[in-house]
Structure formats: structure tokens, C-alpha cells
Amino acid sequence: MNTVVEKKPRLTTSAMIASIAGEGQRVKTAPFGKALVELAASRPEIVGMTADLAKYTDLHLFAQAYPERFYQMGMAEQLLMGAAGGMAKEGLIPFATTYAVFGTRRAYDFIHQVIAEENLNVKMCLALPGLTTGYGPSHQATEDIAMMRGIPGLTIIDPCDALDIEQAVPQMAAHNGPVYMRLLRGNVPLVLDEYDYSFELGKAKRLVDGDEVLIISSGFMTMRALEVAQALKADNIGVAVLHCPTIKPLDEVTILAEVLRKPRLVVVAENHSVVGGLGEAVASSLLQNGVAPARFRLAGLPDAYLDAGALPTLHDRYGISTEALSGRVKAWLG
């Protein structure tokens, strides 16, 4: 008997930089750029700055709308952050963009000393966070949160979707002090509008409830967690999802209350290394407050240099696709 094996479509190089949106999923194009253009109409102190990546961080929309308020700094991330700090000292609110690997690794000392130590009003919106590109370790910012969490007074945002980004932009501008946002650019999924959700800086929010598993998540892993919750319904496994778009300061009150509300497997899902990210922040908070879940697992990226390749393949390989995460949760439940 001949067995017919269904072949998956061959992935092309473009899949290495593809949108994280699934096939047929609702998306919004350039939510960051559009939100910033809208906000800047009533906030003349807002300026846009980039390190030669306006088109690839959606800041080109701001440049087109306000050319006199746009600054192209060239491929010089240290200069970008240093100049942003200087502009903030003059009363402006710079929104600075580049790729997360370049902005954090290359310009860390400038962020630490020029911007954060003086609590300057710089908003850093850095693209390609975690495993959102297949171009290997040179472009995959899998340790950016770990680095930035170590900077005192720096607010860190890891938005899930277009709605999160749109609503975060004005709150970032209203917040007094430096902010780091992991930027999703291009065609960004739209998910959270189906869950009676609104972004609040510093707040975690439960999106769905369930009795067997609690997934605490940030970034697009909240989208994955919601998909897992839906998928595991077929196995009569109830999955609650607590979305934590603000990594620092962490909403410990809500997290502790949700963990204590009922005994469940607690899983922290994040598009970041298991070292130094949301998972370790949650674990530290639980232990320091005397809360010890019966079962606690981290569903993040491994402490390793990740492969290059097509994003769907890499998400499966490293356990952050919907199918892979579902399998991990079921295995942990035993």
C-alpha cells in the first residue's frame, strides 16, 4: 500500500523576515509609525530619530509627515542614543528607532550613562526583538530584555500586537523618563481587540481563564498563548492567559494574585532567552513573596546562539510556535 505524505510548502528566503502573522490573520500595517504621526500632531516636542532604518522601523511615515522633526543619524547607534539624550535635555521627546541588537548591544553604555542615569525622556523603539528574524545571532535580539532590565529606572514594554503598540505610544510619551519598547513593525497581527483589552503602562491583564494552566506571557507569545488555550480546549485542558506587556516595572500584585487564585501549572512564555527575561523576573517575584507554585516552567528561547533559517521552522525548533508550545504544556502537565 502506498502512503501519501503531504508535503509542506517549501519556504523561501523571504520567510526569514516574514511577518509573525499567521495565514489569513488580521493585521494592521505600521501601527507604530501611524500612532506616532497621529500623536505628534498635538505634541510638537516629539521628534523622530533613526540609525539608517526609518523604512524598516515604520518611522518613515513620521519622516514624511514631519520632515523638519526627523533626524537621520546614519549607521551610528551610539551617536543616535547620545544625540537623543541631548535633545531630551532641551525639552524634546525623541522617539529613537533601530534594530534591537544594534541599539542595545552597540549603544548600551550610552543608554546607561547618557539617557537613563539622568532619567531623560527618550523613547527607544527597537525592532526585530527575539526570534522575529531568521538572520541568525547578528540580528536576533534574544537577550535585550536581560540587558535592559539591569538599567535602573528604565521602563520596558513588550507589546503583543498592533493594538498594544497603538495604545502604548501615547502612554510612552506621557511617561516621564526613558522607555524601551520591543517594536513589531510592518504587518503586525491584531489580536487583543477581541478580548476587551486596553493597554495600561505597568499593568498585566488576564485575557482568558482556565483551571489547569496559567500562562504568563509578553510580546507575540501572548498571541501564541491564546492560540494554545484555544487548541487545548479540545483536550479539556483549561488555559488562562495573563498578558504582561510591561516587563519593568513588573505588575507583581496582579501576577501574585493570579498565581494564588487557584492551583495550576504556571508557564511563563516569552520571545526571549530563558536567562534574564520575564520568566526569571516572575520567578524572582514569586519566591521573594513566599509564593511557590506546585509546578513552574519557562517557555522561552534557549540560552544559546540560535540558528538562521525560515521563521516558521525556527519557531518550531525552539518551542515557541503554537503547535510546539501546546506540546510543551501538555508534556509538563504529564
Side-chain angles (χ1 to χ4, degrees):
M1 183 176 67
N2 293 327
T3 302
V4 177
V5 178
E6 184 179 342
K7 289 186 177 180
K8 292 184 178 180
R10 185 176 183 275
L11 295 170
T12 62
T13 304
S14 63
M16 297 171 71
I17 54 173
S19 168
I20 58 172
E23 187 175 350
Q25 187 171 29
R26 293 181 305 135
V27 298
K28 279 195 170 184
T29 302
F32 165 69
K34 291 175 181 176
L36 190 61
V37 166
E38 181 179 351
L39 180 65
S42 59
R43 300 290 298 271
E45 70 276 27
I46 289 177
V47 296
M49 308 177 68
T50 192
D52 202 37
L53 287 170
K55 180 180 176 182
Y56 301 100
T57 58
D58 297 337
L59 194 66
H60 66 291
L61 299 178
F62 182 92
Q64 293 165 4
Y66 309 103
E68 73 286 356
R69 293 156 62 181
F70 171 72
Y71 298 88
Q72 170 58 271
M73 308 306 293
M75 287 186 279
E77 291 79 16
Q78 296 173 346
L79 175 61
L80 170 68
M81 297 305 175
M87 289 190 177
K89 276 193 168 185
E90 296 300 314
L92 299 171
I93 302 179
F95 276 74
T97 77
T98 181
Y99 287 163
V101 284
F102 306 148
T104 57
R105 295 181 201 162
R106 294 180 182 175
Y108 188 82
D109 193 42
F110 288 75
I111 294 170
H112 188 286
Q113 294 296 113
V114 175
I115 295 172
E117 186 179 9
E118 299 195 48
N119 196 43
L120 296 178
N121 224 4
V122 177
K123 318 303 174 183
M124 294 161 279
C125 303
L126 307 191
L128 300 187
L131 196 50
T132 53
T133 173
Y135 284 130
S138 65
H139 283 63
Q140 294 161 348
T142 57
E143 68 291 285
D144 59 319
I145 292 175
M147 295 175 66
M148 303 302 265
R149 275 183 66 217
I151 299 179
L154 179 65
T155 295
I156 302 173
I157 301 171
D158 189 16
C160 166
D161 72 343
L163 179 65
D164 246 358
I165 293 169
E166 289 171 343
Q167 296 184 354
V169 167
Q171 293 185 43
M172 290 168 65
H175 174 76
N176 183 33
V179 179
Y180 172 68
M181 181 172 75
R182 302 180 101 202
L183 178 62
L184 303 174
R185 53 49 182 304
N187 292 322
V188 179
L190 180 61
V191 177
L192 297 178
D193 60 326
E194 298 180 1
Y195 296 90
D196 190 30
Y197 169 87
S198 60
F199 174 86
E200 289 184 70
L201 190 63
K203 297 295 183 182
K205 296 190 177 183
R206 188 198 323 139
L207 303 177
V208 295
D209 203 0
D211 292 334
E212 282 72 44
V213 184
L214 168 63
I215 300 180
I216 302 171
S217 54
S218 68
F220 77 74
M221 288 307 291
T222 292
M223 177 177 73
R224 295 281 183 259
L226 291 168
E227 292 165 353
V228 168
Q230 187 64 35
L232 293 188
K233 279 184 179 179
D235 297 313
N236 294 315
I237 299 172
V239 178
V241 177
L242 182 69
H243 178 42
C244 296
T246 307
I247 307 296
K248 188 179 180 181
L250 191 66
D251 186 357
E252 296 185 80
V253 172
T254 299
I255 291 170
L256 291 169
E258 192 62 32
V259 171
L260 287 168
R261 199 164 58 86
K262 57 181 78 172
R264 293 170 289 190
L265 164 67
V266 176
V267 176
V268 181
E270 58 182 322
N271 171 38
H272 184 272
S273 168
V274 292
V275 176
L278 177 64
E280 287 195 350
V282 170
S284 174
S285 176
L286 294 178
L287 287 174
Q288 289 188 71
N289 285 280
V291 176
R295 289 175 291 179
F296 181 89
R297 296 290 184 270
L298 300 184
L301 299 170
D303 178 23
Y305 294 106
L306 306 186
D307 295 337
L311 276 181
T313 301
L314 296 180
H315 285 193
D316 277 333
R317 181 172 301 169
Y318 295 116
I320 64 170
S321 67
T322 302
E323 184 177 359
L325 183 58
S326 295
R328 295 171 86 177
V329 170
K330 290 172 75 172
W332 288 330
L333 280 171

